[in-house]
Amino acid sequence: MSDDTRETLPLATAAQVRSEVRLALKGGTWKVVGVVVLLTLGAAAGLATPWALGALVDAVAESQGAERIWLLAGAIAAGALFAALFDGVGQVGATRLVERVLASTRERMVARGLALPRAALERAGAGDLVSRAGDDVAVIAESAPFVVPAVTGAAFTIATTVVGIAVLDWRFAVCALVLVTPIYVWTLRWHRRNAPQIYEAERAAMATRAHYLLASLRGIETVHAFGLSRPHGKRILLASWAVSIWAVRARTIINGFFARINLAEFLGMSSILVVGFWLVREGHGTVGAATTAMLFFLRLFGPINEMMFVVDELQSSLASMRRIVGVIHANEYTAAERPEPREAAADADSIRFEYLPGHPVLDDVSLRIGPNETVALVGSSGAGKSTLAAIVAGVLDPGSGTVSGSAALVTQEVHVFDGTLRENLDLVKPGASDDELYAALRRVGADSLLGLPDGLDTGIGDRGTELTPAQAQSLALARVVLLDPPLAVLDEATSEAGSADSAALDHAATAALDGRAGLLVAHRLDQAAKADRIVVMEKGRIVEEGVHEDLAAADGPYARAWSLWTRGRS
């Protein structure tokens, strides 16, 4: 699918993100309140140290005695101890709440992503979903446990410290805040105006890179066979370069952000020094009070800087959160409910479908499959057979027309999950007994799977026993038996096994279809000849249908194809 036609999964709105967070925190209100109380107490206790240091300066200057000095030293120690205790416990609680939100959101996203119709993934590209489940979750997992506690702790510290400065002398607070606040507001507005779209564009570029990389890896044999390594490598290179460009732009935003914060720091400290000098000179304050004000401001500036610094991380996390929650709320990608057909396994009426606008793959196609009827689809490559099979199976939604009925789909590309044989079968029928699993394997003649070293507990897949193509297809057919759908759609499900296994797999497919309707996309005409009815397709339309004997005797495309098929094998 080209970049011009490939869509992306939606982004969530701010309201949807807030709703998702509230859902994840449901039942944890008292935990949130507890965290707020602990962080507030920690911020208040932290004021003791700068206050006591300022008082200590006056105590020494005024010779207030050793008892006063020891009392202030004890206040410093107690303040530091309680501040560390309350803040530490509060930070741990805040981090746990963040992890709770992240775990809940990630689980809901994965569940929703796995339930997305194939049509949605075809339009968006698997890379978009993989990027959201990987890159975006990693961004939040790395930054959120730091961001949220930092923001909450800093907010309480700022509030209590401003009050402390104002208590010393309102002129300290007014002069510092009048100079610093506009710069912070300007910095935040500038960052909010420029950063979000850059971070979202960077994530989108990562999704595109993942899309191209997955496509190349999925078709690696074709890439090597046709010498396509250079064009595929160039496409991945350009996608990676786009990610690098957006990453540099994001770094430029960060550098500009920090430069503005440094300016605010300079002006704030200068104002405190000037006001303190003037108050002491005019006799309106003491050196100790000025020292306390500067220490308060330094303590104030720390959490302000911390909050400003994490704003960048917060924007990045929110950009990722919008992408993750966007999958959960991708309601427009929900597959339409299909009614059950009357006296049929499936009924498709007046189907039209196109992958690219203006280029129909199916045009006014109607197909009805009766109960326990086996229908074979035949035709040249590109005739629309696999697309019609996918629509009947519910994997794709038609552009127009109606479809009723549900089915299980088995294609020639069978995926074997990394796990045991039992786990690969349990996917379609969780909790099935060993007898049921063995019965399904025996029904499709999967003797080689029955003879694996550890039986059902044999590890298969990438880190276990590697199955042959024939064994993988036998596994897929056993899944059909366990699932027991009213209709099974086999899209060339036995074509990749090799000639030595084709007869055995044909018998396995017949056994899997016993007692249910079947739709076969036939790669071999001798397989189609055994079906109850044959449907011939050309250029997205049905041009012929009937039983094998009638079609072979007629002067039509099936008869000509059958003649060539039998002539080559005579």
Side-chain angles (χ1 to χ4, degrees), residues 1 14 16 37-38 120 167 194 206 302 341 349 353 368 390 404 419 474 557:
M1 186 173 291
Q16 288 173 332
V37 170
L38 286 169
V167 168
N194 294 281
M206 289 179 177
D349 184 45
F353 183 88
R368 183 178 179 87
S404 58
S474 295

Side-chain angles (χ1 to χ4, degrees), residues 12-26 101 104-105 108 321 325 328-329:
T13 63
Q16 288 173 332
V17 172
R18 289 194 298 269
S19 175
E20 194 63 32
V21 172
R22 284 196 298 269
L23 178 64
L25 290 174
K26 188 176 181 180
V101 171
S104 172
T105 306
R108 282 169 53 78
M321 194 69 172
V325 178
I328 299 174
H329 291 269

Side-chain angles (χ1 to χ4, degrees), residues 94-95 98-99 102 138-150 313-314 317:
T95 301
V98 169
E99 291 294 342
L102 180 59
V139 166
I140 298 176
E142 181 179 349
S143 61
F146 162 72
V147 169
V148 177
E313 293 285 345
L314 186 60
S317 296

